[in-house]
Amino acid sequence: MIDLLKRYPLPVIVLAQLFGTSLWFSINGVWLSLSAQLGLTETDLGRLTLAVQAGFITGTLTIAVTGLADRFGASRIFALSSLLGALVNGGFVFAAGQPPLDFILRFATGLCLAGIYPLGMKLVIAWTPKYAGAALAWLVGMLTLGTALPHLMRGATLGMPWELPLMAASCLALAGGLLVFLLGDGPHLPKSSGRLPLSQGLAALRIPRFRAVAGGYFGHMWELYAFWTLTPLLIGRELQRLGQGEALVPWLSFAVIGIGAAGCVGGGRLSRTLGSEWVARRALMVSGAVCFLYPWLNGLAPVLLIALLVVWGIAVVADSPQFSALAAATAPKESVGSSLAVMNAVGFGLTLPAIWLTSGLWGQLDVWVVLLLFPGPVLGLWSLSRARPDVKPG
């Protein structure tokens, strides 16, 4: 079996990434039932989602500063993180509605995800260095599907206890960790470089083009995770207008979020001929336009607004792997890893206020709350316009 896994390393890593990142939004997929049973509010949802983001930021910065990913095998860190993530995610079943324990467990889940998502990128380079650019689009696509997966599991277990989808996500994470552990580190894994001071990652910010690309990424991140957090609420609003119950919320939420994987893969293909910057710019334009227009169109037929959410779901994440490719091509070669880690940490840091604002103000502003996300793509486009010259296609 190990020989079979090593014959097809990229599909194995991509599948493991999908399984592992299902932990990220595991409680969001069951929120309607969870909140109804325990009397929790959208503010509680924002609090717990912020805990995951904060944990991921802390973990990513730790990796960037200490060089942990270079000191130990990437596959072992991935497997251990998957195991621990599965345990703390499962532990939430017993801590739901019991602050601060529920917050601590979600924070710990974010810490574990820091050993899954970035290490998945490193494993791709270790196994398929010649195709790392195309594979990156698949990895981000799997992160997107992993984010949507809890909604699918909730739809498939409709009528069953909300605990089941959470436990299913933990089982998937265990399976993903086992796959990567059996696969191993790969023949092209970079050798250890010891400690990586934070200054090495910050040094890239002195490069004008890197700053411009990073600014585009920061604007993208302001919009992305807040949109994913709001998706079940926006879907629920339109279904309520249709006179439907909650049964379709998880299925449609999965569709809106999960279709972003197609946007990532499609954008990756376009980048081969048109360049990563072209794809990133167009994706920001489309998502920004939908973000601005959506609340003004709130009186349209619910079916049309759900279709508009699907378009938003495609565009909102299609630029993500392209920003990573642009940044990697611009950062100093000797510190690409730490530069990207710092950029990711700052980007995910910006998701905290975005999620907090939108989830906290949903009850007061309803659909108009999405306008708070509009500055993200606007500032991202402005920053990206200062990025010259463009990265060559390929």
Side-chain angles (χ1 to χ4, degrees):
M1 178 180 177
I2 295 179
D3 290 339
L4 180 63
L5 294 177
K6 292 185 176 181
R7 194 177 305 172
Y8 305 101
L10 182 57
V12 171
I13 298 169
V14 166
L15 187 63
Q17 185 89 336
L18 168 63
F19 288 172
T21 53
S22 67
L23 301 174
W24 210 309
F25 275 66
S26 58
I27 66 166
N28 298 65
V30 301
W31 187 253
L32 291 177
S33 298
L34 179 62
S35 60
Q37 182 174 327
L38 300 180
L40 302 177
T41 67
E42 285 82 8
T43 301
D44 294 311
L45 173 62
R47 174 177 61 87
L48 295 174
T49 304
L50 288 174
V52 180
Q53 302 300 92
F56 182 83
I57 295 163
T58 302
T60 306
L61 281 175
T62 300
I63 289 174
V65 173
T66 65
L68 282 175
D70 297 314
R71 290 168 175 260
F72 303 99
S75 62
R76 295 184 180 183
I77 296 177
F78 190 107
L80 179 61
S81 299
S82 298
L83 171 61
L84 295 177
L87 291 176
V88 295
N89 182 73
F92 182 84
V93 170
F94 306 100
Q98 300 180 39
L101 183 57
D102 56 355
F103 182 92
I104 293 172
L105 287 175
R106 294 310 291 169
F107 180 87
T109 302
L111 283 175
C112 295
L113 285 165
I116 295 174
Y117 181 41
L119 273 296
M121 295 184 180
K122 184 173 182 180
L123 285 166
V124 165
I125 297 173
W127 279 100
T128 57
K130 294 182 180 179
Y131 309 104
L136 190 58
W138 281 97
L139 273 186
V140 178
M142 289 308 102
L143 168 65
T144 305
L145 276 181
T147 300
L149 200 56
H151 298 286
L152 176 63
M153 290 188 291
R154 181 56 191 168
T157 58
L158 190 65
M160 298 182 185
W162 57 264
E163 296 88 347
L164 287 183
L166 287 181
M167 300 309 296
S170 290
C171 291
L172 288 176
L174 287 173
L178 179 60
L179 285 173
V180 165
F181 182 77
L182 293 176
L183 178 66
D185 289 338
H188 306 285
L189 194 67
K191 295 182 179 180
S192 174
S193 57
R195 293 180 63 85
L196 294 174
L198 185 60
S199 59
Q200 284 191 245
L202 296 178
L205 294 175
R206 302 190 189 103
I207 302 173
R209 177 168 171 80
F210 185 91
R211 289 201 304 270
V213 170
Y217 174 76
F218 298 156
H220 150 78
M221 289 298 287
W222 175 267
E223 177 191 20
L224 176 62
Y225 276 84
F227 169 71
W228 282 348
T229 302
L230 289 174
T231 293
L233 302 176
L234 292 169
I235 292 291
R237 176 186 182 273
E238 301 312 321
L239 289 177
Q240 188 176 31
R241 292 176 63 211
L242 283 171
Q244 299 291 322
E246 298 178 354
L248 289 176
V249 170
W251 295 102
L252 291 176
S253 297
F254 171 78
V256 169
I257 297 173
I259 200 164
C264 289
V265 175
R269 291 191 175 186
L270 287 175
S271 69
R272 289 180 174 271
T273 54
L274 298 173
S276 292
E277 188 174 329
W278 188 93
V279 174
R281 193 186 306 276
R282 268 63 185 183
L284 276 176
M285 287 179 178
V286 174
S287 66
V290 176
C291 180
F292 178 76
L293 292 174
Y294 189 87
W296 300 98
L297 301 175
N298 71 83
L300 291 180
V303 173
L304 293 178
L305 288 176
I306 291 174
L308 195 59
L309 288 176
V310 172
V311 174
W312 197 355
I314 293 173
V316 74
V317 71
D319 47 358
S320 191
Q322 306 312 318
F323 280 121
S324 296
L326 288 166
T330 308
K333 298 303 180 184
E334 67 276 7
S335 59
V336 169
S338 58
S339 298
L340 291 178
V342 169
M343 187 182 83
N344 287 339
V346 175
F348 276 91
L350 288 171
T351 68
L352 299 180
I355 292 172
W356 178 74
L357 281 172
T358 52
S359 60
L361 293 175
W362 170 262
Q364 290 83 11
L365 300 180
D366 195 57
V367 68
W368 293 95
V369 79
V370 302
L371 287 179
L372 296 176
L373 304 182
F374 184 60
V378 171
L379 293 176
L381 283 168
W382 172 78
S383 183
L384 196 57
S385 69
R386 299 161 57 234
R388 294 290 184 268
D390 195 5
V391 171
K392 299 298 182 183

